[in-house]
Amino acid sequence: MKNNSSRRNFLRNITLGGAAASMSSFSWIDNESISPDLSNSSIATDAYWTCVRQQFPLSDHRKYFNTGSLGASPKRVIDTVYKWMMKFEYLGEEGHEKIHNVHQKIADFINCDIEELAITRNTTEGINIAAQSIPLQAGDEIILTDHAHVGGAAPWLALQKSKGVTIKKIQLDSSGINNLDIIKESISKKTKVIVLSHVTCTIGMVLPIKEVIEYCKQQNHKIFTCIDGAHPLGMLHLDMKALQPDFYASSGHKWLLGPKGTGILYINKEIIRALNPVYAGAHTDSLYDLANNVFEHKYTANRVEYGTRNTPILLGLGDAVDFINEIGILNIEHRGKRLASHLKRGLSEISKIEIVSPMKAEFSSPIVTFRVKNQPFQKIQNAIKYHPKAKARVRGIHENNINGIRISCGVYNSRREIDDLLEGLEDIVSNF
């Protein structure tokens, strides 16, 4: 009854304009939850997703297709951050004791033990922690791919100078079809770490991380698997107990739609005693006695969370998980992939446009990258920005010399927006 009542209130508020997307409408109070009845087909209707869109104070003067860089937060998340910031400032407290519940929410969301989860500032911080934690020696081999994001690659490249490691960079198959064989063939007796994007930032390609992780576990020597999961959190259903990587780093501010400056790091409990702790300070210790010069690190992932934290944004991160859960991550995954498929079909019908992202469903995500033949991506990106029909925020992809435009199909995007983008692109391309 509560779910149905909440959903009716939610729909009524939309009708009355209670969730209008102007900053002036913010009341900074607790909102009714989105609690759809998933037992019926209402979740599939355009009206439902329109209601979801109206939960965001995201400007409608342009279409926003850049969730892959920065996800917009729903009003309830912003309200949570504001409310707790005001409360803690009023009390003069930091609220550290409230963070445990956020850990549990996220651990449940990605299906891991709470001892395996740390809350970080972003994916890059998580990757840096992994790079500095693994005991590496000169000559150890680290495998990177040519589709790595700077935040996923730079921490390992830096180890060339500090530790004398060897970097092996492999070229992936953009269709997705041959990547498992390519990755397996690259692994040698010298390989100590393999770093893979779960979903590449460049073309939204899903890599076979589960199969690679299993293959690495079968080798005669330990190979650490570090997954750059910047995109899947809030985009795809995640299950760490099924995947069992050594490290999985992600951001809270992309597809999870959480506050900026939040992220997560999963550290498999089976390896934590073999790692070098990166930080020492308050909340990192299992034993501290200054009088007797004693300090011992905890053997849990959250030992990387040192000192005073920004509790309001962490509570906002927890509320973002609630928001995603109330819609349903499988519903969001299905919706995003359907929008991406619709976009690909439309792009394939426009001459001079080449789709760079994989076309097979098993390697596809809600991210679609394309390019216009013989045209620099900056020119296309600028044309999309100002075209009266297309008028959208997109990301240019310069990485790996792709020269493309990336479209992120987020929870607040619609088929109509994609159709407008396609119509605008057809006009833009016809002028070249």
Side-chain angles (χ1 to χ4, degrees):
M1 290 296 294
K2 181 180 178 182
N3 280 357
N4 289 335
S5 175
S6 294
R7 187 169 185 273
R8 282 195 298 271
N9 289 337
F10 168 64
L11 293 171
R12 186 189 68 235
N13 288 340
I14 295 300
T15 303
L16 296 175
S22 67
M23 290 295 288
S24 62
S25 71
F26 280 21
S27 58
W28 306 115
I29 59 174
D30 289 338
N31 297 310
E32 290 285 350
S33 297
I34 299 178
S35 300
D37 180 1
L38 301 184
S39 65
N40 61 40
S41 62
S42 64
I43 197 76
T45 65
D46 288 339
Y48 176 83
W49 293 105
T50 298
C51 292
V52 171
R53 168 65 179 87
Q54 290 173 317
Q55 291 299 291
F56 294 83
L58 185 62
S59 171
D60 59 4
H61 81 278
R62 64 177 181 178
K63 291 168 280 293
Y64 189 75
F65 287 117
N66 196 34
T67 302
S69 295
L70 200 66
S73 292
K75 180 177 177 290
R76 60 183 282 178
V77 170
I78 302 168
D79 286 347
T80 294
V81 174
Y82 181 86
K83 178 184 72 176
W84 285 105
M85 183 177 293
M86 293 297 290
K87 185 169 185 175
F88 291 140
E89 293 300 328
Y90 176 77
L91 295 173
E93 301 287 346
E94 86 288 338
H96 193 274
E97 72 284 353
K98 294 187 175 295
I99 296 175
H100 176 81
N101 288 337
V102 180
H103 282 84
Q104 190 63 64
K105 282 184 184 182
I106 301 171
D108 292 342
F109 186 62
I110 65 172
N111 193 27
C112 73
D113 294 338
I114 194 170
E115 294 81 8
E116 297 177 300
L117 180 75
I119 300 178
T120 60
R121 292 168 181 80
N122 46 54
T123 306
T124 302
E125 183 177 40
I127 299 291
N128 270 278
I129 290 169
Q132 295 300 322
S133 296
I134 297 173
L136 294 170
Q137 300 177 349
D140 284 342
E141 183 179 86
I142 298 171
I143 295 176
L144 301 176
T145 80
D146 58 346
H147 283 263
H149 185 273
V150 60
W156 307 99
L157 295 175
L159 295 179
Q160 293 178 107
K161 289 185 177 180
S162 64
K163 294 190 176 181
V165 301
T166 300
I167 301 294
K168 178 190 285 187
K169 188 174 69 175
I170 59 176
Q171 186 173 1
L172 295 176
D173 172 13
S174 293
S175 75
I177 297 171
N178 300 307
N179 284 327
L180 181 57
D181 288 338
I182 290 170
I183 294 166
K184 287 167 66 173
E185 290 169 4
S186 72
I187 295 172
S188 71
K189 293 181 179 179
K190 292 183 179 180
T191 303
K192 186 74 172 181
V193 185
I194 182 162
V195 185
L196 296 175
S197 299
H198 190 169
V199 174
T200 64
C201 70
T202 49
I203 61 175
M205 178 166 58
V206 178
L207 296 184
I209 62 166
K210 188 176 190 299
E211 292 82 358
V212 173
I213 291 166
E214 290 173 350
Y215 181 77
C216 288
K217 290 182 185 297
Q218 296 167 4
Q219 304 310 300
N220 293 327
H221 65 291
K222 174 61 181 173
I223 301 175
F224 289 90
T225 51
C226 181
I227 308 302
D228 179 342
H231 294 283
L233 186 67
M235 171 204 272
L236 309 176
H237 176 258
L238 292 177
D239 186 339
M240 291 301 121
K241 290 189 184 299
L243 291 174
Q244 287 292 303
D246 291 314
F247 299 91
Y248 194 103
S250 190
S251 292
H253 65 259
K254 294 182 185 288
W255 301 84
L256 193 63
L257 313 173
K260 286 59 188 170
T262 58
I264 68 164
L265 174 64
Y266 163 88
I267 304 177
N268 194 310
K269 61 186 177 184
E270 299 297 327
I271 68 162
I272 195 161
R273 289 184 178 272
L275 303 177
N276 299 319
V278 176
Y279 301 116
H283 310 298
T284 70
D285 62 294
S286 62
L287 181 62
Y288 170 70
D289 182 356
L290 180 59
N292 294 298
N293 297 336
V294 174
F295 177 86
E296 294 182 10
H297 273 97
K298 293 190 290 190
Y299 287 106
T300 54
N302 70 344
R303 70 185 182 186
V304 305
E305 300 177 33
Y306 58 92
T308 301
R309 307 299 300 274
N310 188 337
T311 304
I313 67 170
L314 301 188
L315 294 173
L317 182 65
D319 206 64
V321 172
D322 291 340
F323 181 82
I324 296 292
N325 278 333
E326 287 164 9
I327 300 172
I329 185 59
L330 292 177
N331 293 317
I332 291 172
E333 177 176 342
H334 181 64
R335 168 75 171 177
K337 288 181 176 180
R338 286 193 67 181
L339 289 176
S341 294
H342 180 65
L343 174 59
K344 286 178 182 177
R345 283 194 296 271
L347 290 172
S348 67
E349 295 173 359
I350 302 176
S351 62
K352 300 181 183 177
I353 282 185
E354 176 188 1
I355 300 172
V356 188
S357 295
M359 298 302 287
K360 280 185 167 289
E362 62 192 294
F363 308 120
S364 298
S365 74
I367 292 174
V368 178
T369 299
F370 68 91
R371 57 189 165 211
V372 178
K373 295 174 183 177
N374 303 318
Q375 297 296 330
F377 77 84
Q378 297 95 331
K379 185 175 181 180
I380 305 303
Q381 185 176 9
N382 198 55
I384 291 172
K385 180 178 180 180
Y386 293 108
H387 190 277
K389 196 71 173 180
K391 201 172 186 181
R393 173 70 167 93
V394 299
R395 185 192 190 281
I397 297 295
H398 59 85
E399 291 90 345
N400 201 21
N401 297 315
I402 288 174
N403 187 39
I405 298 295
R406 187 183 74 186
I407 308 297
S408 297
C409 299
V411 69
Y412 29 64
N413 295 126
S414 67
R415 284 173 63 99
R416 181 170 182 174
E417 287 183 319
I418 290 172
D419 289 340
D420 285 347
L421 175 65
L422 290 168
E423 185 178 336
L425 278 170
E426 194 162 15
D427 183 49
I428 290 168
V429 171
S430 68
N431 292 317
F432 296 144

